[in-house]
């Protein structure tokens, strides 16, 4: 593939409507609840790194979206995930991530115990129960997949397997072989903004010359960003000053650009050939979002010592934190009023300006937030 996407192979990548977005799209509590139930609880989402559970009996407690899930490494090396809720009276079973020495989790309330798969293996005063209620008793399982160095969760049965769900992103992200990378840096921040605003902010380049005057505007050729929609996901290539051109027109786009992928609904992978930043916007309320950011670093590139690579990686992460701080300042200050969105030509002659906002609005709306969709989550 060429270093840049070229017309006309782009095809119709810029959806035209909507021309403006109502404030209710961001503020309406009912819309928010529908999004949680019908988007977040029906999507695959990366929950943690595989390297957080290197050994059998290691486990991670994932608390997001008003859910709590235990992800546990099994004796055979696979992972299992289950709701962190005791089947007796609903107590939270496991407090925090760790290593389960004996492979048994004991409920703190009345002492039911569960194995690594979430199966109930011990009931105190067993004779006081109707034995039929104890047959095959287990926590409610959660779908889990381990791919590209990450553990992904899906909180609903009615969605396809991860590969099908990711579509084009499967090959795009797979290119980086993130299983060879490690999450070396982490940062999180609560923002006073709706989760979609946060995603929007990282998917348009209009703000770069003003918001990121000091950090990005000289580095990214933001006017030349190229966008692609692979519904429900999207991505763009961002050329890098003094680098992309040197790589030549036939360079692979992964090697010559920052490739910026949005895995619907809430995770962005901003990939350089040797490292990447990955962040997720977790809704907390209509106007509050937890942004979690990870700095993911690959092996030292040829010709660099580990020490030098660590020094460069520290610098890359510090630069990213400065960018994030600039975005956060803006995001914490937003007022919601109906406002126009830039109208983008379907032919892509607007040079990749912020059509992803329109696209994201459409993708969210396409998720069928109407009542006709079943809600059994
Ligand atoms: S709620 Fe867990 S044992 Fe009773
Ligand atoms: Fe930004």
């Amino acid at each position: 593939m060429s270093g840049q996407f070229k017309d006309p192979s782009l095809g119709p990548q810029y959806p035209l409507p909507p021309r403006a977005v109502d404030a209710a799209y961001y503020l309406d509590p009912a819309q928010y609840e529908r999004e949680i139930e019908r988007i977040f609880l029906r999507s695959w989402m990366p929950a943690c790194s595989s390297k957080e559970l290197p050994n059998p009996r290691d486990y991670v407690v994932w608390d997001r979206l008003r859910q709590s899930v235990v992800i546990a490494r099994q004796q055979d090396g696979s992972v299992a995930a289950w709701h962190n809720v005791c089947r007796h009276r609903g107590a939270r079973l496991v407090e925090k991530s760790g290593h389960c020495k004996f492979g048994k989790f004991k409920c703190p309330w009345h002492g039911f115990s569960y194995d690594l798969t979430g199966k109930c293996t011990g009931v105190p005063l067993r004779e006081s129960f109707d034995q039929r209620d104890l047959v095959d008793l287990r926590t409610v399982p959660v779908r889990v997949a381990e791919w590209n160095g990450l553990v992904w969760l899906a909180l609903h049965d009615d969605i396809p397997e991860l590969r099908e769900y990711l579509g084009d992103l499967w090959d795009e992200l797979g290119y980086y072989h993130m299983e060879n990378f490690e999450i070396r840096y982490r940062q999180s921040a609560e923002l006073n903004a709706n989760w979609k605003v946060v995603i929007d902010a990282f998917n348009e380049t209009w703000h770069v010359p003003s918001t990121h005057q000091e950090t990005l505007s000289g580095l990214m050729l933001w006017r030349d960003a190229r966008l692609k929609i692979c519904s429900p996901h999207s991505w763009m290539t961002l050329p890098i000053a003094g680098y992309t051109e040197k790589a030549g027109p036939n360079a692979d786009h992964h090697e010559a650009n920052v490739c910026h992928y949005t895995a619907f609904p809430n995770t962005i992978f901003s990939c350089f050939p040797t490292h990447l930043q990955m962040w997720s916007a977790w809704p907390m309320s209509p106007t509050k979002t937890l942004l979690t950011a990870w700095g993911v670093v690959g092996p030292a590139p040829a010709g660099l010592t580990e020490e030098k690579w660590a020094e460069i990686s520290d610098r890359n992460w510090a630069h990213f934190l400065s960018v994030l701080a600039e975005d956060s300042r803006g995001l914490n200050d937003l007022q919601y009023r109906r406002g126009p969105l830039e109208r983008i030509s379907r032919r892509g002659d607007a040079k990749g300006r912020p059509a992803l906002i329109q696209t994201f609005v459409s993708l969210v709306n396409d998720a069928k937030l109407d009542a006709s969709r079943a809600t059994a989550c």
Side-chain angles (χ1 to χ4, degrees):
M1 205 175 288
S2 67
Q4 291 287 298
F5 295 112
K6 292 185 188 130
D7 284 337
S9 59
L10 287 171
Q13 60 166 346
Y14 298 130
L16 291 175
R19 296 183 63 187
V21 182
D22 277 320
Y25 171 73
Y26 299 108
L27 292 178
D28 178 13
Q31 159 101 9
Y32 174 82
E33 289 301 326
R34 288 194 297 271
E35 288 169 354
I36 297 291
E37 203 171 285
R38 297 175 203 177
I39 293 179
F40 280 89
L41 300 190
R42 289 167 176 273
S43 300
W44 282 100
M45 295 165 289
C48 66
S49 157
S50 291
K51 291 188 176 146
E52 288 172 69
L53 313 106
N55 302 308
R57 303 193 296 279
D58 290 343
Y59 62 93
V60 166
V61 177
W62 181 84
D63 290 312
R64 297 278 184 263
L65 307 169
R66 301 186 300 227
Q67 310 286 319
S68 183
V69 174
V70 176
I71 304 162
R73 180 76 66 196
Q74 307 293 297
Q75 286 303 135
D76 65 0
S78 64
V79 280
W82 31 273
H83 285 276
N84 188 12
V85 178
C86 179
R87 291 304 302 273
H88 178 219
R89 298 286 297 278
R92 181 184 172 95
L93 263 174
V94 187
E95 200 41 48
K96 56 181 183 3
S97 306
H99 178 78
C100 184
K101 195 169 173 192
F102 301 108
K104 190 189 272 191
F105 299 95
K106 194 166 178 191
C107 178
W109 200 351
H110 309 95
F112 277 40
S113 45
Y114 297 82
D115 68 13
L116 292 167
T117 69
K119 185 171 173 242
C120 181
T121 52
V123 177
L125 302 173
R126 182 173 269 274
E127 63 282 3
S128 32
F129 291 87
D130 183 326
Q131 298 306 300
R132 288 168 301 183
D133 292 339
L134 302 179
V135 175
D136 294 332
L137 190 65
R138 54 156 303 128
T139 54
V140 177
V142 170
R143 287 174 71 192
V144 62
E146 202 170 11
W147 175 73
N148 214 21
L150 299 169
V151 179
W152 302 69
L153 297 180
L155 291 146
H156 201 285
D157 288 337
D158 186 22
I159 49 174
E161 293 302 320
L162 179 64
R163 184 176 192 143
E164 191 187 336
Y165 177 83
L166 287 178
D168 288 358
L169 288 201
W170 179 272
D171 287 338
E172 286 298 322
L173 289 172
Y175 175 89
Y176 296 95
H177 287 287
M178 284 172 60
E179 65 276 11
N180 299 327
F181 287 32
E182 63 169 304
I183 298 175
R184 216 176 271 182
Y185 310 95
R186 290 171 192 266
Q187 180 85 359
S188 57
E190 276 184 34
L191 300 172
N192 295 321
N194 180 272
W195 71 274
K196 302 187 294 296
V197 173
V198 176
I199 296 291
D200 290 347
F202 293 107
N203 272 339
E204 53 93 349
T205 53
W206 279 90
H207 72 286
V208 169
S210 53
T211 301
H212 302 307
Q213 215 167 356
E214 305 294 324
T215 50
L216 285 183
S217 70
L219 190 66
M220 300 287 168
L221 302 178
W222 58 275
R223 286 174 183 276
D224 296 323
R226 289 288 182 271
L227 315 180
K228 192 168 181 189
I229 312 305
C230 43
S231 180
H233 318 290
S234 55
W235 53 291
M236 64 178 157
T237 54
L238 276 160
I240 309 162
Y243 183 78
T244 302
E245 208 159 287
K246 227 188 274 171
N250 296 321
D252 185 287
H253 63 273
H254 302 96
E255 295 297 326
N257 300 273
V258 180
C259 291
H260 186 88
Y261 304 96
T262 303
F264 190 81
N266 71 328
T267 298
I268 290 173
F269 299 81
S270 202
C271 303
F272 300 77
T274 53
H275 65 285
L276 60 114
Q277 286 111 25
M278 173 182 166
W279 58 95
S280 302
W282 300 104
M284 298 171 75
S285 79
T287 55
K288 229 180 208 335
T289 299
L290 176 69
L291 180 68
T292 55
W294 296 346
V296 189
V297 180
L304 280 186
T305 62
E306 287 298 334
E307 205 179 25
K308 186 70 191 162
W309 182 227
E311 191 187 310
I312 294 171
S313 300
D314 284 354
R315 227 168 30 230
N316 288 339
W317 182 247
H319 180 263
F320 173 71
L321 289 186
S322 309
V323 173
L324 210 55
E326 290 166 344
D327 282 314
S328 303
R329 266 198 300 278
L331 285 167
N332 272 325
D333 253 0
L334 288 178
Q335 299 295 315
Y336 297 84
R337 300 243 165 75
R338 184 181 167 89
L341 288 175
E342 302 77 17
R343 195 158 174 80
I344 304 295
S345 154
R346 197 172 276 271
R347 296 294 305 155
D349 55 2
K351 293 198 166 182
R353 285 178 295 180
L356 284 186
I357 291 187
Q358 286 95 326
T359 303
F360 198 67
V361 173
S362 304
L363 292 172
V364 168
N365 289 336
D366 280 355
K368 304 216 181 345
L369 295 174
D370 58 85
S372 63
R373 186 132 163 159
T375 60
C377 293

